[in-house]
Amino acid sequence: MELLDKLAILTDAAKYDAACTSSGVRRSARPGMIGNTTSSITGCCHSFSADGRCITLLKVLMTNSCVFDCKYCVNRRSNDTRRAAFTPRELAELTIGFYRRNYIEGLFLSSGVLRSPDYTTERMIECLRILREEYRFNGYIHAKAIPGTSPELVQRLGLLADRLSVNIELPSQKGLQTLAPDKSKQAILRPMAQIRDRARESKAELVKSRHAPVFAPAGQSTQLIVGATADNDRHILHLTQSLYEKYRLKRVFYSAYVPVVENSLLPSKDTKPPLLREHRLYQADWLLRFYGFRAEELLDEQHPDFNPLVDPKCHWAIGHLEQFPLEIMNAEYETLLRVPGIGPISARRIVSARRHSTLRFEDLKKLGVVLKRAQFFITCGGRMRQGLQFTAQTLQRQLEAMERGQLPPEECRQLSLFDSAG
């Protein structure tokens, strides 16, 4: 098979994996080596950096052959699809060729399970060894740790990659048993714990010697598929919180299930991916990581799913109107973060600015507050914004109307490397 044919098959097969954003590591150019990770901060293939730049990684599978038969996966062993596999040297040379042509800034490498997790991981390790040692590649590499791989191989992989990820895929044990019978919760969580512990040890070793080998300096991430099973948002959010706390993950990624196979246990192929639900889970994830919220605050047994028509912070605020309005001149920083339209940066600016003068609504806009949301939940000098009219009954409708034009279009989809952007 021609190399270009392999590339077409294996980049297209990788497009359903979302867990490949920000590098999270900063490594400048080094004498005798090529590439760096500095330009890849907070970005990835099929994503954008914080400053709006499109950042590219070569996002590819080592092979789409797989001994597993996960019912939701297009690469499952029982599916009739074209199969291909790179040799380690082919993929290493392809990566370097793309880098030298300025097509990419790094590599995101995943794989189907060829023969066994250990055999597949050995091939991935050899590819990364060629890149790091023979080509002296210093750029960003994200590699997937396959559940069931031996700890020794996970260790070797982590010494070559900047970030590792172990995809949970399905949010519950029941979902795994039903749709991915070859996988188990223990096989997924074991390498997660190893990566967490080894990364902590690596940091301690670096304190003693700056020449100590570095293990996965950008940490680890995972991906959850949303919509393939009946798991609600509350269950997914509690799992996310547990992963952050127990395994010290850098990111949890959510992937709206794209029906690619017909199976009675899955949504039909004409079902649209739940993109809006994925969007709300990402917003809730930020509330957990940066705003001090807990999963149990955002959803409960009576309300197990987010209202898709308003963002999760507004959803929470509408259900806790007894805590509002807040006086902007004396509310604490942590409390300001609870106000829709106020983020960590604008909250810090408010705390700093109010030491020197009395803040007005016009001032808040200059400080970065999204006033069209915040105005319903704050007072300045003891007064609501002039001309604002709403009741507890109409507030949700007003917030929903405000957000309609900002919702992601239903026709959004992920392009393959060879799709036309037009």
Side-chain angles (χ1 to χ4, degrees):
M1 185 181 291
E2 293 291 331
L3 192 61
L4 189 61
D5 292 330
K6 290 184 181 181
L7 184 64
I9 293 169
L10 296 174
T11 53
D12 188 66
K15 68 184 180 182
Y16 299 108
D17 197 328
C20 66
T21 192
S22 65
S23 68
V25 65
R26 184 178 293 272
R27 185 172 57 247
S28 4
R30 295 175 181 171
M33 303 186 79
I34 62 173
N36 62 76
T37 66
T38 306
S39 56
S40 298
I41 298 299
T42 67
C44 71
C45 185
H46 301 137
S47 189
F48 295 88
S49 66
D51 60 3
R53 295 177 303 117
C54 181
I55 306 297
T56 53
L57 303 179
L58 175 57
K59 181 181 180 185
V60 68
L61 299 183
M62 195 86 200
T63 179
N64 66 337
S65 297
C66 194
V67 298
F68 290 169
D69 200 30
C70 305
K71 294 178 174 59
Y72 55 84
C73 182
V74 69
N75 299 316
R76 72 192 190 281
R77 68 170 181 263
S78 61
N79 193 29
D80 184 18
T81 188
R82 286 186 75 194
R83 306 289 179 174
F86 285 117
T87 66
R89 188 160 294 277
E90 278 179 337
L91 185 52
E93 292 177 351
L94 186 69
T95 302
I96 290 299
F98 274 32
Y99 175 80
R100 286 174 172 160
R101 289 169 175 80
N102 202 30
Y103 296 163
I104 60 168
E105 297 173 77
L107 173 67
F108 174 85
L109 180 58
S110 185
S111 184
V113 182
L114 183 63
R115 297 192 192 177
S116 71
D118 279 0
Y119 179 79
T120 306
T121 304
E122 286 173 347
R123 291 169 66 87
M124 294 171 69
I125 289 171
E126 177 60 13
C127 174
L128 300 192
R129 186 201 65 78
I130 293 170
L131 280 171
R132 295 296 199 202
E133 296 180 7
E134 294 185 21
Y135 286 105
R136 307 294 290 164
F137 182 65
N138 191 44
Y140 176 68
I141 295 177
H142 181 147
K144 298 301 285 294
I146 299 171
T149 301
S150 66
E152 296 79 12
L153 292 177
V154 174
Q155 163 74 6
R156 288 171 58 192
L157 189 65
L159 292 173
L160 292 165
D162 292 290
R163 173 170 286 179
L164 296 178
S165 55
V166 186
N167 279 3
I168 291 180
E169 304 288 10
L170 301 177
S172 65
Q173 177 68 24
K174 181 180 178 182
L176 277 174
Q177 291 173 343
T178 305
L179 299 178
D182 299 304
K183 296 181 180 178
S184 70
K185 179 180 176 182
Q186 291 72 25
I188 294 170
L189 297 181
R190 193 179 301 116
M192 274 190 177
Q194 180 189 350
I195 295 166
R196 173 202 62 200
D197 296 341
R198 186 64 192 93
R200 185 186 296 132
E201 292 167 5
S202 177
K203 288 180 180 178
E205 291 166 2
L206 284 167
V207 172
K208 299 175 183 176
S209 170
R210 62 189 181 91
H211 299 294
V214 182
F215 181 90
Q220 63 173 318
S221 60
T222 193
Q223 171 178 284
L224 297 173
I225 295 175
V226 179
T229 59
D231 299 294
N232 56 41
D233 293 344
R234 179 172 178 260
H235 177 87
I236 292 173
L237 209 59
H238 276 271
L239 174 60
T240 295
Q241 182 172 275
S242 175
L243 290 171
Y244 281 135
E245 293 177 349
K246 190 170 182 180
Y247 296 99
R248 314 307 298 171
L249 266 65
K250 295 295 184 181
R251 287 292 305 272
V252 174
F253 293 88
Y254 309 93
S255 179
Y257 173 66
V258 180
V260 291
V261 293
E262 198 65 64
N263 190 292
S264 60
L265 298 173
L266 291 165
S268 63
K269 287 186 74 173
D270 59 357
T271 303
K272 292 183 178 179
L275 296 174
L276 185 52
R277 185 183 177 196
E278 174 195 292
H279 177 60
R280 297 305 184 204
L281 283 167
Y282 271 117
Q283 290 178 315
D285 183 276
W286 275 64
L287 295 182
L288 296 181
R289 291 193 294 140
F290 302 116
Y291 289 76
F293 280 86
R294 302 284 300 172
E296 53 270 22
E297 292 182 89
L298 295 171
L299 294 169
D300 55 32
E301 291 184 3
Q302 289 71 40
H303 304 90
D305 293 297
F306 289 113
N307 177 354
L309 300 180
V310 295
D311 72 71
K313 199 175 182 184
C314 287
H315 177 81
W316 174 84
I318 291 169
H320 295 81
L321 289 178
E322 73 281 355
Q323 299 188 25
F324 301 103
L326 292 179
E327 171 51 49
I328 213 73
M329 290 301 297
N330 54 35
E332 294 183 358
Y333 171 79
E334 292 75 13
T335 312
L336 288 171
L337 287 178
R338 302 263 161 160
V339 178
I342 298 181
I345 294 176
S346 54
R348 284 194 293 269
R349 288 173 177 169
I350 289 170
V351 172
S352 177
R354 70 189 183 188
R355 295 179 187 142
H356 310 289
S357 62
T358 301
L359 298 179
R360 301 168 298 170
F361 283 98
E362 308 87 79
D363 301 320
L364 297 181
K365 200 167 185 179
K366 296 175 185 176
L367 296 174
V369 174
V370 183
L371 206 52
K372 63 181 181 179
R373 289 195 185 93
Q375 62 184 348
F376 299 103
F377 304 98
I378 59 173
T379 58
C380 285
R383 296 183 179 183
M384 299 290 289
R385 193 177 189 186
Q386 188 174 3
L388 185 65
Q389 294 182 347
F390 72 98
T391 65
Q393 291 70 38
T394 64
L395 178 56
Q396 180 163 319
R397 292 197 298 272
Q398 288 175 265
L399 290 169
E400 288 177 2
M402 190 184 303
E403 195 155 334
R404 277 193 198 106
Q406 302 177 24
L407 299 181
E410 292 184 358
E411 64 272 14
C412 281
R413 67 185 181 92
Q414 186 176 19
L415 298 176
S416 79
L417 185 62
F418 300 95
D419 282 343
S420 168

